Amino acid sequence: MGDLLITVAPTGAETTKDDCPKLPTTLAELVETAQRCEAAGAAMVHVHIRDDEHRPTLDPQRLKDTVVALRESTDLVVQLSTGGSVRDPLEDRLKVLDAHPDSCSLTMGTTNFGDDVFLNPWPFVCELYQLSQDRKVVPEFELFDLGQVAALHRLLDKYGLPHGGKVHADLVMGVPGGMPGTADALVASVAALPSQTTSWSATGIGRSTLAVALASLAKGGHLRVGMEDVLTLARGVPVEHNDQLVRRVVELGRIAQRTPMTPAEARTLLGMD
Ligand code: KMH
Ligand code: ZN
C-alpha cells in the first residue's frame, strides 16, 4: 500500500520556453512527461497549458483536449490549474471547470507574486468553490501563506465539504510574496489547518524545494514537485526532465519509509472513488 502522494507540476505559467527549452509546453511533451512521471512514482499531475507560441493559455478546447489526452495515456489524477497565469481574467479561470478535470487547484487568497499580483478575491474564491461542488470536481486548496489557511477555515465553515467529502490542501512555499519555504513555516501552517483536513502536501519554490520536501516528510505530509516550482537540481545543474524531480522525492520517501501511492490509491485519498 502506498502512503505518499506525489504530485508533479510539470509546466506552470511563469517560465518561458526560450528560457527553458526542456519545459513541456506542447501537448505531446506534456503527455510524454506525464507518462514518465507516472512510471517514476507520481499519482497526480497539476496542469497548466500553453498555446502554439508556448505562451500560457486557458483556451477551453485546448483544456478539454488536454484532459482527454492525459486520461487516454495515463492513469494519473488530472488536476487543472485554475490559477493560470497572473494575467488571466477571473472569468476565464472559472471556465477551467468546463473541461471536467478530476481535480482543480483553488488558491485561498491574493498573493504578491514576485513583481506581480496573483489575484484571488474572496468572492471569486467562494464562486469557484461552489462551482467545483456543483461540477463534482475535487479541489486542492493552494495555500501561499498563513492567512490563506485561515481563509480555508472560513470557506469550509460557510460552504461545507468539497465534492467527495475529503479536504486536501497544498502548501505552496517560498513564492516571493508568500510564506517562506522553511520547516518553521511548514510546521506553523500544518498546525493551523482546519480539523476537516484529510490530507496535505507541500512544495517549495526554487532553492526551498528540498527543505520543504524534507519537512513535509518529517510531518507526515505529501509532496508536490515539478518544473513549475523548481528548475535546478542543485546550483548550476538544470532539471532536464520532470521525472528527475519525481525520482528524487521517491528516494527521499524511501529513506523516510514512505511508499508512493498509485493513482488509484490517490483517488481514494482525495475522495474520488
Ligand atoms: N501561476 C500562478 C500565478 C495554480 O496553479 O492554481 C498561479 C498558480 C496556482 O500556479
Ligand atoms: Zn500551478
Side-chain angles (χ1 to χ4, degrees), residues 155-180:
L155 190 80
L156 297 174
D157 289 347
K158 188 154 187 205
Y159 297 104
L161 293 174
H163 172 67
K166 302 287 179 69
V167 175
H168 178 71
D170 179 49
L171 305 171
V172 184
M173 311 183 69
V175 169
M179 63 180 147

mmCIF file of all heavy atoms in Angstrom, residues 155-180:
data_model
loop_
_atom_site.group_PDB
_atom_site.id
_atom_site.type_symbol
_atom_site.label_atom_id
_atom_site.label_comp_id
_atom_site.label_asym_id
_atom_site.label_seq_id
_atom_site.Cartn_x
_atom_site.Cartn_y
_atom_site.Cartn_z
ATOM 1 N N LEU A 155 -13.986 29.273 4.536
ATOM 2 C CA LEU A 155 -14.661 28.686 3.371
ATOM 3 C C LEU A 155 -15.410 27.411 3.752
ATOM 4 O O LEU A 155 -16.581 27.228 3.391
ATOM 5 C CB LEU A 155 -13.626 28.379 2.279
ATOM 6 C CG LEU A 155 -14.219 27.986 0.940
ATOM 7 C CD1 LEU A 155 -14.659 29.227 0.166
ATOM 8 C CD2 LEU A 155 -13.229 27.188 0.103
ATOM 9 N N LEU A 156 -14.743 26.535 4.485
ATOM 10 C CA LEU A 156 -15.377 25.261 4.852
ATOM 11 C C LEU A 156 -16.527 25.491 5.819
ATOM 12 O O LEU A 156 -17.569 24.822 5.747
ATOM 13 C CB LEU A 156 -14.334 24.309 5.461
ATOM 14 C CG LEU A 156 -13.196 23.890 4.525
ATOM 15 C CD1 LEU A 156 -12.160 23.064 5.281
ATOM 16 C CD2 LEU A 156 -13.715 23.101 3.327
ATOM 17 N N ASP A 157 -16.352 26.462 6.733
ATOM 18 C CA ASP A 157 -17.442 26.757 7.677
ATOM 19 C C ASP A 157 -18.668 27.269 6.938
ATOM 20 O O ASP A 157 -19.799 26.965 7.301
ATOM 21 C CB ASP A 157 -16.981 27.785 8.722
ATOM 22 C CG ASP A 157 -15.982 27.184 9.714
ATOM 23 O OD1 ASP A 157 -15.854 25.941 9.725
ATOM 24 O OD2 ASP A 157 -15.326 27.945 10.444
ATOM 25 N N LYS A 158 -18.442 28.061 5.881
ATOM 26 C CA LYS A 158 -19.566 28.676 5.182
ATOM 27 C C LYS A 158 -20.211 27.741 4.151
ATOM 28 O O LYS A 158 -21.434 27.706 4.020
ATOM 29 C CB LYS A 158 -19.068 29.953 4.490
ATOM 30 C CG LYS A 158 -20.176 30.787 3.885
ATOM 31 C CD LYS A 158 -19.811 32.249 3.780
ATOM 32 C CE LYS A 158 -21.034 33.023 3.320
ATOM 33 N NZ LYS A 158 -20.732 34.248 2.653
ATOM 34 N N TYR A 159 -19.404 26.984 3.436
ATOM 35 C CA TYR A 159 -19.940 26.223 2.295
ATOM 36 C C TYR A 159 -19.836 24.709 2.458
ATOM 37 O O TYR A 159 -20.222 23.966 1.557
ATOM 38 C CB TYR A 159 -19.246 26.648 0.995
ATOM 39 C CG TYR A 159 -19.502 28.094 0.653
ATOM 40 C CD1 TYR A 159 -18.520 29.060 0.848
ATOM 41 C CD2 TYR A 159 -20.742 28.504 0.161
ATOM 42 C CE1 TYR A 159 -18.754 30.396 0.559
ATOM 43 C CE2 TYR A 159 -20.986 29.835 -0.131
ATOM 44 C CZ TYR A 159 -19.993 30.770 0.067
ATOM 45 O OH TYR A 159 -20.233 32.091 -0.219
ATOM 46 N N GLY A 160 -19.288 24.236 3.558
ATOM 47 C CA GLY A 160 -19.223 22.796 3.793
ATOM 48 C C GLY A 160 -18.093 22.121 3.046
ATOM 49 O O GLY A 160 -17.196 22.775 2.491
ATOM 50 N N LEU A 161 -18.143 20.792 3.036
ATOM 51 C CA LEU A 161 -17.043 19.999 2.484
ATOM 52 C C LEU A 161 -17.055 20.011 0.955
ATOM 53 O O LEU A 161 -18.101 20.216 0.332
ATOM 54 C CB LEU A 161 -17.149 18.556 2.972
ATOM 55 C CG LEU A 161 -16.919 18.337 4.475
ATOM 56 C CD1 LEU A 161 -17.187 16.886 4.844
ATOM 57 C CD2 LEU A 161 -15.492 18.746 4.868
ATOM 58 N N PRO A 162 -15.901 19.750 0.359
ATOM 59 C CA PRO A 162 -15.832 19.640 -1.115
ATOM 60 C C PRO A 162 -16.591 18.415 -1.617
ATOM 61 O O PRO A 162 -16.933 17.519 -0.840
ATOM 62 C CB PRO A 162 -14.339 19.454 -1.400
ATOM 63 C CG PRO A 162 -13.626 19.715 -0.150
ATOM 64 C CD PRO A 162 -14.589 19.531 0.981
ATOM 65 N N HIS A 163 -16.782 18.368 -2.917
ATOM 66 C CA HIS A 163 -17.281 17.144 -3.552
ATOM 67 C C HIS A 163 -16.365 15.973 -3.156
ATOM 68 O O HIS A 163 -15.146 16.085 -3.215
ATOM 69 C CB HIS A 163 -17.269 17.296 -5.075
ATOM 70 C CG HIS A 163 -17.580 16.012 -5.765
ATOM 71 N ND1 HIS A 163 -18.805 15.406 -5.696
ATOM 72 C CD2 HIS A 163 -16.789 15.172 -6.495
ATOM 73 C CE1 HIS A 163 -18.784 14.277 -6.366
ATOM 74 N NE2 HIS A 163 -17.561 14.112 -6.863
ATOM 75 N N GLY A 164 -16.957 14.869 -2.739
ATOM 76 C CA GLY A 164 -16.177 13.698 -2.342
ATOM 77 C C GLY A 164 -15.930 13.634 -0.844
ATOM 78 O O GLY A 164 -15.555 12.592 -0.324
ATOM 79 N N GLY A 165 -16.088 14.766 -0.163
ATOM 80 C CA GLY A 165 -16.025 14.774 1.301
ATOM 81 C C GLY A 165 -14.633 14.851 1.910
ATOM 82 O O GLY A 165 -14.496 14.867 3.130
ATOM 83 N N LYS A 166 -13.591 14.892 1.084
ATOM 84 C CA LYS A 166 -12.222 14.977 1.616
ATOM 85 C C LYS A 166 -11.692 16.395 1.424
ATOM 86 O O LYS A 166 -12.078 17.088 0.477
ATOM 87 C CB LYS A 166 -11.303 13.979 0.896
ATOM 88 C CG LYS A 166 -11.768 12.520 0.987
ATOM 89 C CD LYS A 166 -11.550 11.960 2.375
ATOM 90 C CE LYS A 166 -12.027 10.525 2.519
ATOM 91 N NZ LYS A 166 -11.234 9.562 1.784
ATOM 92 N N VAL A 167 -10.803 16.797 2.303
ATOM 93 C CA VAL A 167 -10.191 18.139 2.205
ATOM 94 C C VAL A 167 -8.689 17.957 2.042
ATOM 95 O O VAL A 167 -7.999 17.523 2.974
ATOM 96 C CB VAL A 167 -10.498 18.988 3.464
ATOM 97 C CG1 VAL A 167 -9.761 20.324 3.387
ATOM 98 C CG2 VAL A 167 -12.004 19.207 3.602
ATOM 99 N N HIS A 168 -8.208 18.266 0.839
ATOM 100 C CA HIS A 168 -6.775 18.143 0.542
ATOM 101 C C HIS A 168 -6.193 19.535 0.286
ATOM 102 O O HIS A 168 -6.672 20.261 -0.592
ATOM 103 C CB HIS A 168 -6.548 17.249 -0.678
ATOM 104 C CG HIS A 168 -5.099 17.119 -1.052
ATOM 105 N ND1 HIS A 168 -4.189 16.403 -0.289
ATOM 106 C CD2 HIS A 168 -4.398 17.637 -2.085
ATOM 107 C CE1 HIS A 168 -2.998 16.475 -0.848
ATOM 108 N NE2 HIS A 168 -3.083 17.221 -1.940
ATOM 109 N N ALA A 169 -5.188 19.898 1.048
ATOM 110 C CA ALA A 169 -4.545 21.209 0.905
ATOM 111 C C ALA A 169 -3.109 21.025 0.423
ATOM 112 O O ALA A 169 -2.499 19.974 0.629
ATOM 113 C CB ALA A 169 -4.549 21.932 2.248
ATOM 114 N N ASP A 170 -2.612 22.057 -0.240
ATOM 115 C CA ASP A 170 -1.218 22.037 -0.712
ATOM 116 C C ASP A 170 -0.559 23.343 -0.286
ATOM 117 O O ASP A 170 -1.019 24.424 -0.666
ATOM 118 C CB ASP A 170 -1.190 21.895 -2.240
ATOM 119 C CG ASP A 170 0.218 21.895 -2.799
ATOM 120 O OD1 ASP A 170 1.064 21.137 -2.270
ATOM 121 O OD2 ASP A 170 0.484 22.644 -3.759
ATOM 122 N N LEU A 171 0.491 23.242 0.511
ATOM 123 C CA LEU A 171 1.231 24.429 0.932
ATOM 124 C C LEU A 171 2.222 24.782 -0.166
ATOM 125 O O LEU A 171 3.104 23.978 -0.496
ATOM 126 C CB LEU A 171 1.979 24.158 2.242
ATOM 127 C CG LEU A 171 1.120 23.654 3.413
ATOM 128 C CD1 LEU A 171 2.012 23.209 4.575
ATOM 129 C CD2 LEU A 171 0.155 24.741 3.863
ATOM 130 N N VAL A 172 2.051 25.958 -0.760
ATOM 131 C CA VAL A 172 2.980 26.419 -1.799
ATOM 132 C C VAL A 172 3.878 27.453 -1.139
ATOM 133 O O VAL A 172 3.442 28.560 -0.823
ATOM 134 C CB VAL A 172 2.228 27.026 -2.999
ATOM 135 C CG1 VAL A 172 3.211 27.396 -4.103
ATOM 136 C CG2 VAL A 172 1.175 26.047 -3.533
ATOM 137 N N MET A 173 5.126 27.070 -0.924
ATOM 138 C CA MET A 173 6.000 27.843 -0.043
ATOM 139 C C MET A 173 7.194 28.408 -0.807
ATOM 140 O O MET A 173 7.690 27.797 -1.746
ATOM 141 C CB MET A 173 6.497 26.939 1.094
ATOM 142 C CG MET A 173 5.350 26.160 1.754
ATOM 143 S SD MET A 173 5.869 25.151 3.138
ATOM 144 C CE MET A 173 6.289 26.416 4.317
ATOM 145 N N GLY A 174 7.615 29.592 -0.392
ATOM 146 C CA GLY A 174 8.811 30.173 -0.986
ATOM 147 C C GLY A 174 8.557 31.062 -2.183
ATOM 148 O O GLY A 174 9.508 31.499 -2.843
ATOM 149 N N VAL A 175 7.282 31.362 -2.478
ATOM 150 C CA VAL A 175 6.980 32.360 -3.515
ATOM 151 C C VAL A 175 7.375 33.731 -2.971
ATOM 152 O O VAL A 175 7.028 34.058 -1.831
ATOM 153 C CB VAL A 175 5.463 32.346 -3.852
ATOM 154 C CG1 VAL A 175 5.079 33.540 -4.706
ATOM 155 C CG2 VAL A 175 5.086 31.041 -4.537
ATOM 156 N N PRO A 176 8.082 34.552 -3.750
ATOM 157 C CA PRO A 176 8.410 35.895 -3.241
ATOM 158 C C PRO A 176 7.114 36.701 -3.078
ATOM 159 O O PRO A 176 6.490 37.095 -4.051
ATOM 160 C CB PRO A 176 9.306 36.498 -4.329
ATOM 161 C CG PRO A 176 9.721 35.347 -5.190
ATOM 162 C CD PRO A 176 8.636 34.311 -5.079
ATOM 163 N N GLY A 177 6.676 36.876 -1.863
ATOM 164 C CA GLY A 177 5.378 37.488 -1.568
ATOM 165 C C GLY A 177 4.521 36.604 -0.686
ATOM 166 O O GLY A 177 3.564 37.070 -0.071
ATOM 167 N N GLY A 178 4.845 35.315 -0.630
ATOM 168 C CA GLY A 178 4.122 34.373 0.224
ATOM 169 C C GLY A 178 4.977 33.940 1.402
ATOM 170 O O GLY A 178 6.012 34.546 1.699
ATOM 171 N N MET A 179 4.535 32.875 2.066
ATOM 172 C CA MET A 179 5.313 32.407 3.229
ATOM 173 C C MET A 179 6.652 31.817 2.776
ATOM 174 O O MET A 179 6.764 31.319 1.647
ATOM 175 C CB MET A 179 4.514 31.368 4.024
ATOM 176 C CG MET A 179 4.197 30.095 3.288
ATOM 177 S SD MET A 179 3.241 28.983 4.355
ATOM 178 C CE MET A 179 2.210 28.152 3.154
ATOM 179 N N PRO A 180 7.641 31.868 3.647
ATOM 180 C CA PRO A 180 8.947 31.324 3.250
ATOM 181 C C PRO A 180 8.932 29.800 3.168
ATOM 182 O O PRO A 180 8.088 29.154 3.795
ATOM 183 C CB PRO A 180 9.881 31.795 4.376
ATOM 184 C CG PRO A 180 8.992 32.027 5.548
ATOM 185 C CD PRO A 180 7.653 32.440 4.996
#
